[in-house]
Amino acid sequence: MKAVFGLAGLDRVQEIVYSATLEEPAPDVPALAQRLRLDVTEVRDALEVLLELRMVRRSHAEPERLVAVDPVVGLQNLLAREHEQLLARQQQISASQSMVLRMLADRNASVASAATEGVQRLEGIDAVQQRLERFSQEVEWSVETFMPGGAQSAAALEAARENDARVMARGVVIRTIGLDSVREHEGTLAYARWLTDRGGEFRTVAALPPRMVVVDRSSALVPIDPEDSRKGAMYLTEPGMVASLVALFEQVWDVATPFGSDRRPDSSGLSAQEKALLVLIAQGHTDESAASKLFISARTARRTMAGIMERLGARSRFEAGVKAAQLGWL
């Protein structure tokens, strides 16, 4: 009997209900539940599954009663059902494989054509995501990323984990640069810990250029519109353009602080974030607009600026900028 149950994939309650019905036809659901000391809902759900699997049926003499089908007949019914489902699944897989092969052929032709020009425009976020998924399959040794935008969404971080785990399993080196402000966001911090624990590298800076991804130092993605990533990205393979992006990444990487390190003040006594804020204020930005560029709150910007003014003995932001310039802080 257990062999039949195993092939049927029945759970414990379904096994009990089938065995009880095999021993004695069930007069009704409540009576059977009482006899088995089970919940009525559990028994009703189990009987619905058994009816669908044709392991129980309604009595011809008394339609309100349910009787068990002979185990041998029930097994034959199950095997026939499994065979039908297997054939249907094989047909679906075959059709899917054919479709994927056609899509890959079309896409490879498109990429090969675009590669001669070194630039391909990817319209919309879905096209960008598809390119990132291809990157995760094709990358051989390195991925280097700017991650601006401050705290990342849970969905974006989960997608990053999946892609990163896939490529790091093949020995690919991942280096990511985020903003200092992400050190205050637990979700992004958790991702940084996860990445570094698995051999990746994560650093932060006060301000970043627009988002970009460089793969194997031979291709890259940059946004079409840095202010709206939903518009899509440019896929670059032209060696000169990619080399420039690699050089930019290395410049930022050299001054970025590794994850887990403290943000140390420079010789002026300012941290990188304080210095970036002071520069923006000196350029005429308000606390709010400067905070937006650094992906910190306006309240944090005001508090930080107040601290800088106090250290400089300045009574206004303008005076703070003048004194900072005189001291060589800017």
Side-chain angles (χ1 to χ4, degrees):
M1 188 64 66
K2 286 291 182 183
V4 175
F5 292 154
L7 286 169
L10 302 184
D11 63 25
R12 184 185 66 84
V13 174
Q14 292 160 1
E15 289 182 13
I16 293 172
V17 171
Y18 176 76
S19 298
T21 310
L22 186 63
E23 294 172 2
E24 181 182 343
D28 54 51
V29 174
L32 181 59
Q34 184 176 12
R35 172 156 50 108
L36 297 176
R37 297 181 181 177
L38 293 173
D39 183 77
V40 171
T41 302
E42 284 184 304
V43 173
R44 181 177 292 108
D45 291 344
L47 285 171
E48 287 179 359
V49 172
L50 295 170
L51 279 166
E52 183 180 356
L53 294 175
R54 292 186 289 178
M55 294 191 69
V56 299
R57 60 173 177 79
R58 297 196 178 279
S59 169
H60 296 300
E62 302 176 70
E64 70 278 4
R65 294 168 67 89
L66 294 173
V67 297
V69 174
D70 180 271
V72 175
V73 175
L75 178 58
Q76 291 174 342
N77 291 337
L78 286 172
L79 290 175
R81 180 188 178 92
E82 290 292 324
H83 182 65
E84 292 173 0
Q85 293 178 343
L86 179 60
L87 287 176
R89 181 59 180 157
Q90 287 175 336
Q91 291 173 350
Q92 290 175 350
I93 292 173
S94 178
S96 297
Q97 287 176 332
S98 298
M99 180 180 68
V100 169
L101 289 174
R102 287 196 302 270
M103 291 173 61
L104 286 176
D106 293 342
R107 181 171 290 276
N108 288 339
S110 173
V111 170
S113 175
T116 60
E117 302 174 2
V119 178
Q120 182 180 6
R121 188 181 178 94
L122 304 178
E123 297 286 352
I125 194 68
D126 289 337
V128 175
Q129 186 59 40
Q130 289 173 5
R131 182 67 255 178
L132 290 172
E133 290 169 357
R134 289 288 299 278
F135 274 161
S136 71
Q137 297 171 354
E138 297 168 351
V139 61
E140 295 181 359
W141 59 280
S142 71
V143 179
E144 294 158 324
T145 306
F146 284 155
M147 192 178 75
Q152 305 293 297
S153 69
L157 293 173
E158 184 58 30
R161 279 193 182 90
E162 291 179 4
N163 285 336
D164 292 350
R166 190 180 301 120
V167 301
M168 285 193 293
R170 303 201 307 269
V172 172
V173 175
I174 294 179
R175 297 197 296 169
T176 300
I177 307 177
L179 289 170
D180 288 342
S181 59
V182 305
R183 293 174 181 265
E184 306 300 323
H185 182 252
E186 186 53 39
T188 310
L189 274 180
Y191 164 76
R193 293 190 196 100
W194 177 90
L195 182 68
T196 54
D197 286 345
R198 286 158 180 77
E201 296 182 75
F202 191 96
R203 294 186 178 187
T204 64
V205 290
L208 269 176
R211 183 180 298 275
M212 77 172 187
V213 179
V214 179
V215 174
D216 288 339
R217 301 202 161 191
S218 61
S219 59
L221 282 180
V222 295
I224 292 174
D225 182 354
E227 301 299 325
D228 187 0
S229 61
R230 293 172 298 179
K231 291 183 179 179
M234 303 303 294
Y235 172 48
L236 309 176
T237 55
E238 201 282 322
M241 289 187 285
V242 176
S244 297
L245 294 177
V246 170
L248 174 62
F249 181 89
E250 289 298 337
Q251 288 176 354
V252 179
W253 183 262
D254 286 342
V255 299
T257 299
F259 177 73
S261 300
D262 293 329
R263 299 300 300 175
R264 301 184 184 279
D266 62 13
S267 58
S268 67
L270 298 176
S271 69
Q273 187 177 84
E274 288 174 327
K275 191 168 185 177
L277 175 62
L278 187 56
V279 168
L280 290 171
I281 295 297
Q283 291 173 348
H285 288 275
T286 64
D287 289 338
E288 287 73 17
S289 64
S292 176
K293 288 186 173 296
L294 295 177
F295 293 94
I296 59 178
S297 69
R299 180 179 179 181
T300 298
R302 285 192 291 270
R303 185 175 65 248
T304 303
M305 195 62 205
I308 294 172
M309 291 170 61
E310 183 177 352
R311 270 183 276 171
L312 289 168
R315 290 170 293 181
S316 69
R317 282 163 169 69
F318 177 77
E319 185 180 359
V322 172
K323 287 190 173 183
Q326 291 172 342
L327 291 171
W329 289 12
L330 296 176

